[in-house]
Amino acid sequence: MTGIIEQYYAPLLKKHGFVPEPDNDQYGPLGLCWRLSPEVGEGSYWTYGQRDLFDIKIHNFSFNKDFMLEFDLPECLSITRYDSISGEELSPYRRLSAGCIKTYVGGYKPYQVIVHKNIPVRSIGIEITPAYYEDYLKKQYPEEYRNPIEAFRKIDQTTEFPEMYRLLSELQNYRGTGIAAKLYYESKVAEALSLVVEYQKKRSVSDHKLVSQDLERIQTVAAYLSDHYAGEVPIERLAQIACMGTTKLKSSFKKVYGCTITEYMQQRRMSQAEYLLAHTDLQIGQIAQTIGYSTSSRFAELFRRSTGLLPLEYRKMAKRK
């Protein structure tokens, strides 16, 4: 296996406690599996790459302690689906959530993330390098070529991309061998790129930036929500705080934070729920009420959607010695 895996990820994985496990082909014999050292955590990290064009990664591991990762991603276009996760991205700060499709454009700034202890990181992702999306595609389609970087940037993080969710599930479950597998992986990468480009066409977002005054008002709304996430906050009150109509408030908020106001409040609630589950002995119903849900069943449903785990499963893992 050559290209981005050997040049970049092999040294990075070794640095963070992963060791090669060549006999483990649980996600496909063409890839290389890495096992996390027991003193650091447990689980595996599977990778497959075609030269310097692209790589596919499947994560299924957890750390023994809260773990901060900071590294420079290579220049690439990344798209990932998390099935289980507990942690936060830094600069800018954002909670990592399961069940969503997330894109990232590497090569521009260091990537920082805190992964919480004992909670499994389960994900499937694709990274596409400039050798593929610039050199190769430009030669193949010189008349129609458009650089897909902006398409990846605009997706950012969304739960409204079922086609990509399906494609990544198919990749995760595939176990082919030989040239058939190589062709399959190559076709899925091309399909993923085409889906991203098509997604941008269907869901084009205005590129107009907010004026500084509106940006400050939206940030004030976010600060207010962070302090009052456990209660009912009428949209009319937020509109008064922002000094703008509800329609403009909703669109401006999503433009700044990449999510709706409701999603933002749920992220704050789930972050607090994770802390209470890991560091207190409060009952699930008490935690639900503390963060703003009237029933434990509704809380459990949303928590599982956010982390991939039920609250009791999360507590059991988080408190594991």
Side-chain angles (χ1 to χ4, degrees):
M1 194 176 302
T2 59
I4 191 172
I5 301 297
E6 287 187 350
Q7 296 174 11
Y8 183 80
Y9 281 106
L12 183 65
L13 288 168
K14 291 177 182 177
K15 177 182 176 182
H16 289 107
F18 287 87
V19 294
E21 195 175 32
D23 296 332
N24 189 334
D25 59 359
Q26 60 178 315
Y27 296 110
L30 290 188
L32 176 62
C33 197
W34 300 72
R35 178 68 53 181
L36 192 54
S37 301
E39 59 270 21
V40 180
E42 63 180 16
S44 61
Y45 188 123
W46 182 89
T47 58
Y48 169 76
Q50 276 199 23
R51 302 187 305 277
D52 60 344
L53 299 177
F54 64 83
D55 66 86
I56 298 165
K57 299 180 296 184
I58 301 178
H59 304 159
N60 187 5
F61 61 84
S62 62
F63 293 114
N64 294 336
K65 299 179 181 179
D66 282 2
F67 205 90
M68 180 170 177
L69 299 168
E70 181 175 8
F71 53 90
D72 293 314
L73 274 173
E75 190 174 353
C76 67
L77 302 178
S78 171
I79 189 157
T80 302
R81 185 195 77 209
Y82 288 102
D83 297 318
S84 170
I85 187 69
S86 177
E88 300 88 26
E89 291 179 320
L90 308 176
S91 67
Y93 175 88
R94 180 164 59 181
R95 168 187 165 79
L96 287 169
S97 297
C100 64
I101 299 297
K102 177 176 177 52
T103 56
Y104 191 86
V105 179
Y108 292 89
K109 59 181 180 179
Y111 182 71
Q112 296 176 305
V113 60
I114 296 176
V115 180
H116 295 166
K117 67 177 183 178
N118 296 334
I119 307 304
V121 178
R122 299 192 185 111
S123 67
I124 166 75
I126 298 172
E127 286 182 350
I128 307 171
T129 69
Y132 184 90
Y133 64 80
E134 288 183 352
D135 302 340
Y136 174 74
L137 287 184
K138 194 178 293 184
K139 291 176 182 177
Q140 291 293 106
Y141 310 102
E143 303 298 327
E144 302 174 88
Y145 175 77
R146 296 291 184 275
N147 194 309
I149 287 180
E150 286 306 312
F152 273 77
R153 280 204 178 105
K154 287 184 177 179
I155 289 175
D156 190 27
Q157 183 168 296
T158 181
T159 57
E160 301 174 357
F161 205 165
E163 303 91 344
M164 187 63 71
Y165 196 99
R166 171 194 54 78
L167 183 148
L168 292 174
S169 294
E170 291 172 353
L171 262 180
Q172 194 170 30
N173 296 324
Y174 183 72
R175 298 294 184 273
T177 61
I179 189 172
K182 293 180 180 180
L183 291 172
Y184 178 85
Y185 290 134
E186 187 174 339
S187 70
K188 285 301 178 182
V189 170
E191 183 182 353
L193 189 55
S194 70
L195 287 175
V196 170
V197 173
E198 193 64 26
Y199 184 98
Q200 182 191 24
K201 290 180 181 178
K202 293 179 179 178
R203 298 168 176 82
S204 59
V205 181
S206 172
D207 287 330
H208 297 302
K209 294 183 178 180
L210 298 182
V211 298
S212 59
Q213 186 179 47
D214 284 346
L215 176 60
E216 291 175 2
R217 289 170 174 171
I218 292 299
Q219 291 171 337
T220 300
V221 168
Y224 183 87
L225 289 171
S226 294
D227 285 340
H228 298 82
Y229 64 85
E232 294 296 328
V233 183
I235 188 68
E236 293 78 14
R237 184 184 305 164
L238 298 178
Q240 289 177 332
I241 293 172
C243 300
M244 58 182 67
T246 56
T247 300
K248 180 179 179 181
L249 168 62
K250 291 176 182 178
S251 63
S252 298
F253 192 94
K254 189 164 187 178
K255 190 178 294 184
V256 174
Y257 290 100
C259 62
T260 66
I261 292 172
T262 299
E263 290 169 342
Y264 186 89
M265 288 186 67
Q266 287 181 352
Q267 289 177 15
R268 301 283 76 74
R269 289 177 173 182
M270 293 303 119
S271 292
Q272 180 65 5
E274 288 183 359
Y275 177 83
L276 294 174
L277 287 166
H279 299 284
T280 76
D281 293 319
L282 290 174
Q283 297 179 358
I284 302 303
Q286 293 174 310
I287 292 176
Q289 292 183 348
T290 299
I291 63 173
Y293 295 110
S294 59
T295 66
S296 56
S297 59
R298 177 59 175 165
F299 161 57
E301 175 191 353
L302 292 173
F303 189 85
R304 185 173 188 176
R305 191 181 302 171
S306 176
T307 65
L309 301 167
L310 289 169
L312 285 176
E313 293 174 322
Y314 185 95
R315 168 169 276 172
K316 183 178 180 180
M317 292 179 175
K319 291 195 172 187
R320 187 175 60 197
K321 298 296 183 180

